[in-house]
Amino acid sequence: MPELPEVETISRTLNPQVQGRYVKNIHLLSAKTLETGRDLLPLLEGARIEKSRRRAKLLMLDVRDNTGQPLIAAFHLKMTGRLFVHPLDVEPHKHTKITLDLYPSASTPAPESRLFFDDVRTFGYCRLMRPEQLPEWPFWAKLGFEPLEHTPEELAARLAAKKGRIKNVLLDQTVIAGIGNIYADESLFRAGLRPDRKSETIPAEKLVSLAGHIQEILQEAIDACGSSIRDYRDAEGNAGAFQNKFNVYGRGGEACKTCGSTLASARVAGRGTVYCETCQK
DNA sequence: GTGGCCCTGTGA
DNA sequence: TCACAGGGCCAC
C-alpha cells in the first residue's frame, strides 16, 4: 500500500531517528527478505547510517560500512512492509523480518533503540548493495521520472509516449515512478479521465492537466502524511490523513462527491478501480 | 496485453 | 469458505 507519499513520509520520520547512528547486532529473521547482499552483511556491523531518502516507492538508507565505504540498503515495502524504530524492550514478533540495534556513537557501550522491518505479507524486501551496483539492478535502472521533480509538460510527454489504458500507464513505474492504485484512481478522477481511456486518445493539453493533478495530489498526500487504509503507519507509528480526502478510492457504489451519481467499480490493470461514469470521460 | 503468483489477514 | 487487498515479475 505505501506509495510515493507514504514512503516519503516514512523517510522523513525515520531520518531523525537513524541519521548518524551506528548499527550493530543485525538479526535477519527471514532469509528471503534480504534479496541481495548477503556477502555485504558483515560490513554493516559497526556501520554508520548517513541518511534515509526515497526514490520511487523505495526507502533508501545511505550507509558507510565498517571500512568507511558507501553502502546502500534499499527497502521495498510493497503492501504491508513497515519500518519502525522501537525502544529496546520491544521484542521481535511473528512478522518481524529484520532488526538491528542503533547506537548514538561508535564508542557508546549500549544501544539506544532498535530498527525493525516488519512485513505481514512478506512481499517486501531489502537489497544491500554498493552504490555502483544500483545500475545493474534492472528495476532501478528502468525507473521513470520522479513526478515531483519534473514539470507537468515533461511528465505529459512521458505519458504520451506510452500507449494503452491510461491507468496502466500511470501504474507503469518505468514511465513515472511512485504512483500506485490509490493515487492513480484519485488523479484520474480529478483530471476527469476514465481509467480505461486509451492514452493515445487523450489530447496533449489534457495529459498536461493530468500531470498537474498528479503532482497536486501527491503533494497534498505528503502534506497529510500519506493515506492509511489498514496497515500503513509512518516510522513513528502515526497514521496518515489523506484517506479522508479520497474522492473515489474504496468508494465503489457510493455517491460521487461532485455529481452525486453512483461510483462504478471495475477491474483495470488487474486492480480494483473506482471511477465516476459521469465525471470521467 | 492479461492473468497467475507470491503471502497473510480480514470481512462477507 | 472464499474473495479480496495489490507491486512487481513472469509465463502465456
Side-chain angles (χ1 to χ4, degrees):
Chain A
M1 203 78 59
E3 303 179 25
L4 187 152
E6 289 75 34
V7 181
E8 180 67 30
T9 302
I10 291 167
S11 177
R12 289 181 186 185
T13 51
L14 188 64
N15 192 57
Q17 305 186 77
V18 299
Q19 189 165 42
R21 279 20 174 236
Y22 288 79
V23 171
K24 284 177 192 168
N25 306 326
I26 300 144
H27 288 282
L28 182 61
L29 289 86
S30 159
K32 74 162 238 185
T33 298
L34 187 65
E35 275 203 346
T36 63
R38 197 68 197 257
D39 54 321
L40 298 170
L41 209 46
L43 297 167
L44 259 192
E45 201 66 38
R48 180 181 193 271
I49 301 177
E50 305 279 304
K51 66 171 186 295
S52 73
R53 60 189 169 99
R54 178 196 62 76
R55 163 72 170 124
K57 299 174 194 170
L58 293 166
L59 189 290
M60 319 276 290
L61 291 183
D62 289 329
V63 176
R64 206 154 277 277
D65 73 21
N66 57 23
T67 71
Q69 298 303 303
L71 207 54
I72 288 172
F75 292 86
H76 200 311
L77 308 179
K78 293 291 182 85
M79 263 70 71
T80 53
R82 288 179 172 190
L83 281 163
F84 273 125
V85 176
H86 284 304
L88 294 166
D89 56 2
V90 175
E91 294 293 324
H93 55 85
K94 196 171 141 186
H95 299 303
T96 302
K97 308 302 178 189
I98 301 172
T99 66
L100 45 87
D101 291 355
L102 298 172
Y103 290 71
S105 79
S107 57
T108 313
E112 62 172 0
S113 56
R114 185 171 290 143
L115 177 65
F116 280 63
F117 179 55
D118 296 338
D119 188 9
V120 171
R121 303 274 284 281
T122 77
F123 289 0
Y125 58 79
C126 174
R127 293 174 71 103
L128 200 53
M129 287 170 294
R130 292 294 187 195
E132 58 269 26
Q133 291 177 299
L134 269 177
E136 303 161 15
W137 180 16
F139 174 69
W140 177 271
K142 288 188 293 183
L143 279 176
F145 279 7
E146 274 296 320
L148 296 176
E149 293 174 13
H150 292 272
T151 65
E153 289 75 17
E154 289 170 331
L155 297 178
R158 297 280 296 183
L159 295 173
K162 184 84 184 177
K163 289 189 166 63
R165 293 171 167 186
I166 187 64
K167 176 160 178 178
N168 297 53
V169 177
L170 292 184
L171 292 176
D172 186 336
Q173 301 297 300
T174 71
V175 179
I176 296 176
I179 302 171
N181 202 34
I182 294 172
Y183 299 104
D185 276 13
E186 293 297 322
S187 302
L188 289 167
F189 176 81
R190 286 205 194 178
L193 289 166
R194 285 176 64 101
D196 57 357
R197 173 94 175 258
K198 291 287 196 334
S199 67
E200 53 269 38
T201 70
I202 305 174
E205 67 272 18
K206 195 82 179 154
L207 285 179
V208 174
S209 154
L210 170 61
H213 285 296
I214 289 169
Q215 293 186 325
E216 179 186 277
I217 215 153
L218 292 175
Q219 192 56 57
E220 285 176 28
I222 291 170
D223 293 344
C225 297
S227 307
S228 293
I229 308 303
R230 42 181 81 83
D231 295 295
Y232 165 74
R233 293 292 184 275
D234 69 20
E236 293 168 343
N238 301 308
F242 196 72
Q243 67 280 4
N244 303 317
K245 293 197 176 176
F246 288 166
N247 285 307
V248 285
Y249 181 86
R251 298 193 64 243
E254 296 179 33
C256 172
K257 291 180 180 176
T258 301
C259 76
S261 38
T262 303
L263 294 173
S265 292
R267 257 192 126 66
V268 180
R271 304 279 175 260
T273 300
V274 182
Y275 64 101
C276 176
E277 290 179 318
T278 307
C279 298
Q280 294 173 257
K281 298 293 179 189

